[in-house]
Amino acid sequence: MQFHINIDELVKGHMIESDRLEFKRGWNPASIYRSICAFANDFDNIGGGYILIGIEEENGIARRPVIGLEPSQIEKIQREMIGFNNLIKPYYAAKLYIDELDGYKIVVLWIPGGNSRPYEVPENIKAKDKKYQYYIRRYSSSVVANIEEKQELISLANQIPFDDRANTNATTNDISVLLIREYLINAKSKLADLLEDTDHLALLTSLNIISGPKELVFPKNIGLLMFNHSPDKFFPNSFIEWVEFPNGEGSPEFFERPRIAGSIQQQVKQALASFKTYVLKEKITKINTQAESIRVWNYPYLAIEEAVVNAVYHKSYEVREPIEIRIFPNKIEIINYGGPDRSVKIEDINKGIIRSRRYRNSRIGDFFKEIKLCEGKGTGIPTIKTAMKKNNSPDPVFETDEQRTYFIATLLINPEFRALNEGLNEGLNEGLNEGLNEGLSSLLYVIINNQGIQAKDIPQFLKNRPLKTIERQISELIKMNKIERRGSKKTGGYYITK
């Protein structure tokens, strides 16, 4: 079976953190099985790891070109692993793939966190007198668990991360091959070209998104979140709600955009597209005394991107609450339910220091990294802070509670943009002061942000406001010379007047 990850990107460390990768020049079963045990125990719930055999390592980096393996060496590895797997207690088998890199054959061992941890293995898998030990990962090494770590490891028995659990309310038919194809193409996987010749169950097994014996196979939650068009059928309210408050916090006037649904990667992409369309704005001001114009963004896109991805990545899909995006004139709030692990202190988050011991959805993180929706673990918050600083925006604000039931990321508008915007909209503000009530104001806000919109499309933004009321208010705004209609009856729409 073809490996589903682009091997070149994996070796370069572009998809997986370095402490989850091991390079081995040749077949050394003693050290390799210690690492297999450590990755399978997945002490920090980071998603296991990968061992690549046939690649030399230098200072933690793969040497290129790789040295590769001879066919006889690969055959020996496959043959011996069949017996050695039985020596892991309880039984565990790493997923083995034969791939090609730099023109040479290599062996890739994928070791996801096991469902029957804790695992133990002999210190030397080939020794006659076998002394069993529990191994865990500590940074980039596989080490024997001490007494406290062993007790904690045992306490993790049968605590499978939610995204890696089997879902008995679904079948493999609920997994969309079209979404898998799209994912594989985006991940630059060779497997994308072999889908037509690949057995359906073999494909799902290769991606590790199903669980159970052949006669009773169920999809895992990660498979339904990533590769089903309506994951909210299985995880209620697993979509994004978008609400705008044109008159600020505390005002009863608001409008909702259509909810953002679909697979979780589609939700991220749609939400970011909406931000580009409706929220992100740049003010360009020409100064007579200098050649360069002043260019100011209200929010940095990178900070928004990281905040949205973090919300989808770290949401608890066991909690039946949607992700919320709330847009105010002076700030953006992005809310997900299921806060950070209690090992993370909120004061450290606001300092940009992330030292999480547990990751709720490590499988989501792995899939997102493969399609470049996120980077390494713990990089989201620091990236948001850096992006805001570069944009001359105030520091972001992060909020959670003691029980870690929610997490709010607040991005404040760039004060330079706000000052320019208030100056450019001085005429509009005067008009508002001349008698526009909140109903007219919110309608005007919709038209400002949707130039060319038709009347029939406005009710979706203004909750519970009848079309007849909107048409009457449009007539009032036209009489006040705030808006005008342009274009034909069929294709034209409403615009702000010059």
Side-chain angles (χ1 to χ4, degrees):
M1 187 70 185
Q2 180 70 47
F3 191 39
H4 68 281
I5 296 178
N6 182 288
I7 190 66
D8 187 59
E9 293 290 303
L10 178 67
V11 169
K12 288 177 180 176
H14 291 173
M15 294 181 174
I16 302 298
E17 298 87 353
S18 59
D19 56 354
R20 297 179 57 202
L21 281 175
E22 276 199 7
F23 302 108
K24 300 290 185 182
R25 175 186 175 89
W27 173 234
N28 183 351
S31 66
I32 286 174
Y33 267 83
R34 289 194 290 268
S35 290
I36 289 176
C37 178
F39 283 132
N41 277 326
D42 197 15
F43 187 62
D44 290 328
N45 281 347
I46 58 175
Y50 301 80
I51 301 173
L52 295 93
I53 308 171
I55 302 178
E56 288 185 298
E57 177 186 335
E58 186 173 356
N59 299 322
I61 300 174
R63 294 185 63 179
R64 306 289 294 271
V66 303
I67 59 172
L69 297 169
E70 297 294 330
S72 58
Q73 293 174 298
I74 295 174
E75 183 182 348
K76 180 183 179 182
I77 292 171
Q78 292 176 299
R79 184 176 63 252
E80 291 191 352
M81 284 190 70
I82 294 173
F84 291 151
N85 291 341
N86 291 304
L87 297 177
I88 300 178
K89 296 180 180 179
Y91 176 83
Y92 181 93
K95 299 179 183 299
L96 186 149
Y97 301 88
I98 301 167
D99 214 316
E100 188 172 300
L101 186 64
D102 301 335
Y104 297 94
K105 296 288 186 182
I106 63 170
V107 166
V108 180
L109 300 180
W110 178 21
I111 309 105
N115 293 338
S116 302
R117 60 184 177 180
Y119 297 94
E120 56 181 345
V121 74
E123 287 182 345
N124 186 343
I125 202 88
K126 299 183 75 172
K128 289 185 178 179
D129 297 323
K130 294 179 170 53
K131 181 182 179 181
Y132 276 80
Q133 299 280 10
Y134 293 96
Y135 287 89
I136 62 172
R137 293 293 287 183
R138 188 174 296 153
Y139 304 111
S140 297
S141 301
S142 298
V143 300
V144 176
N146 61 33
I147 295 175
E148 291 80 10
E149 290 166 337
K150 182 178 176 180
Q151 290 174 343
E152 186 175 354
L153 187 61
I154 292 172
S155 73
L156 293 175
N158 298 321
Q159 292 186 23
I160 305 170
F162 178 78
D163 59 351
D164 207 33
R165 297 177 198 166
N167 192 310
T168 56
N169 295 319
T171 71
T172 55
N173 292 329
D174 292 310
I175 302 294
S176 167
V177 177
L178 290 177
L179 286 176
I180 290 178
R181 179 188 295 276
E182 179 183 313
Y183 157 77
L184 292 173
I185 291 172
N186 290 334
K188 300 178 182 178
S189 171
K190 298 176 184 176
L191 187 55
D193 299 326
L194 305 174
L195 282 182
E196 293 182 3
D197 301 321
T198 303
D199 175 76
H200 184 61
L201 282 182
L203 172 65
L204 304 187
T205 301
S206 174
L207 292 167
N208 192 23
I209 57 175
I210 57 174
S211 180
K214 290 182 179 180
E215 68 276 9
L216 194 64
V217 176
F218 294 105
K220 292 185 176 182
N221 290 331
I222 180 62
L224 297 170
L225 289 166
M226 289 284 301
F227 307 117
N228 184 280
H229 292 283
S230 302
D232 54 296
K233 290 191 303 184
F234 307 99
F235 319 104
N237 293 336
S238 56
F239 46 75
I240 300 175
E241 289 188 340
W242 183 298
V243 186
E244 298 192 21
F245 299 84
N247 298 311
E249 199 165 10
S251 169
E253 193 72 35
F254 68 92
F255 67 85
E256 297 176 322
R257 295 194 184 276
R259 69 174 49 157
I260 299 171
S263 67
I264 55 175
Q265 70 272 28
Q266 290 175 331
Q267 290 182 33
V268 170
K269 293 175 181 178
Q270 290 174 32
L272 294 177
S274 293
F275 269 107
K276 286 182 177 180
T277 302
Y278 304 120
V279 178
L280 285 174
K281 292 181 175 61
E282 183 185 27
K283 292 295 182 187
I284 304 174
T285 306
K286 184 72 178 73
I287 306 298
N288 294 331
T289 57
Q290 64 184 48
E292 299 83 9
S293 298
I294 298 176
R295 307 174 72 95
V296 181
W297 282 94
N298 55 349
Y299 301 96
Y301 174 76
L302 182 57
I304 290 173
E305 180 181 37
E306 289 292 335
V308 171
V309 169
N310 274 3
V312 175
Y313 179 178
H314 297 297
K315 168 181 160 57
S316 173
Y317 291 92
E318 295 176 273
V319 177
R320 298 188 174 192
E321 294 288 348
I323 293 168
E324 297 177 31
I325 294 175
R326 300 159 70 90
I327 310 296
F328 299 90
N330 63 335
K331 65 180 180 179
I332 297 167
E333 289 182 350
I334 299 175
I335 309 169
N336 67 277
Y337 292 90
D341 186 77
R342 292 196 181 191
S343 63
V344 182
K345 298 179 180 179
I346 190 63
E347 54 266 30
D348 288 339
I349 291 177
N350 282 311
K351 292 176 184 176
I353 303 170
I354 307 298
R355 297 192 184 97
S356 180
R357 279 289 311 280
R358 294 283 183 269
Y359 285 81
R360 178 180 291 110
N361 299 312
S362 58
R363 293 297 308 281
I364 291 177
D366 282 349
F367 278 110
F368 274 17
K369 288 168 197 167
E370 289 164 17
I371 55 177
K372 294 182 169 51
L373 281 183
C374 70
E375 297 181 2
K377 59 184 181 182
T379 60
I381 300 299
T383 299
I384 293 172
K385 289 180 69 67
T386 301
M388 293 291 281
K389 185 176 181 179
K390 286 183 177 179
N391 195 56
N392 295 323
S393 300
D395 284 340
V397 179
F398 304 105
E399 180 186 340
T400 186
D401 59 357
E402 289 297 327
Q403 292 73 37
R404 299 297 196 265
T405 59
Y406 69 89
F407 186 78
I408 304 176
T410 302
L411 308 181
L412 301 172
I413 195 168
N414 183 338
E416 297 176 34
F417 177 93
R418 190 174 185 184
L420 285 171
N421 194 51
E422 288 176 353
L424 291 171
N425 287 316
E426 188 175 324
L428 175 59
N429 291 335
E430 289 177 3
L432 293 174
N433 293 331
E434 289 171 1
L436 265 70
N437 57 33
E438 286 195 348
L440 290 177
S441 176
S442 58
L443 174 57
L444 187 59
Y445 184 87
V446 171
I447 296 172
I448 288 172
N449 286 278
N450 299 274
Q451 295 282 314
I453 193 169
Q454 296 183 346
K456 65 180 179 64
D457 296 323
I458 293 177
Q460 64 179 310
F461 298 110
L462 299 174
K463 190 176 183 182
N464 298 326
R465 191 176 302 186
L467 180 57
K468 285 187 177 180
T469 302
I470 289 171
E471 289 173 340
R472 176 177 54 78
Q473 292 174 332
I474 285 174
S475 297
E476 290 182 48
L477 289 174
I478 290 175
K479 289 178 182 178
M480 298 175 70
N481 198 33
K482 300 299 180 186
I483 64 172
E484 62 186 6
R485 182 175 176 84
R486 302 177 197 165
S488 67
K489 188 174 181 180
K490 288 186 177 180
T491 61
Y494 294 98
Y495 294 81
I496 301 301
T497 57
K498 291 182 180 180

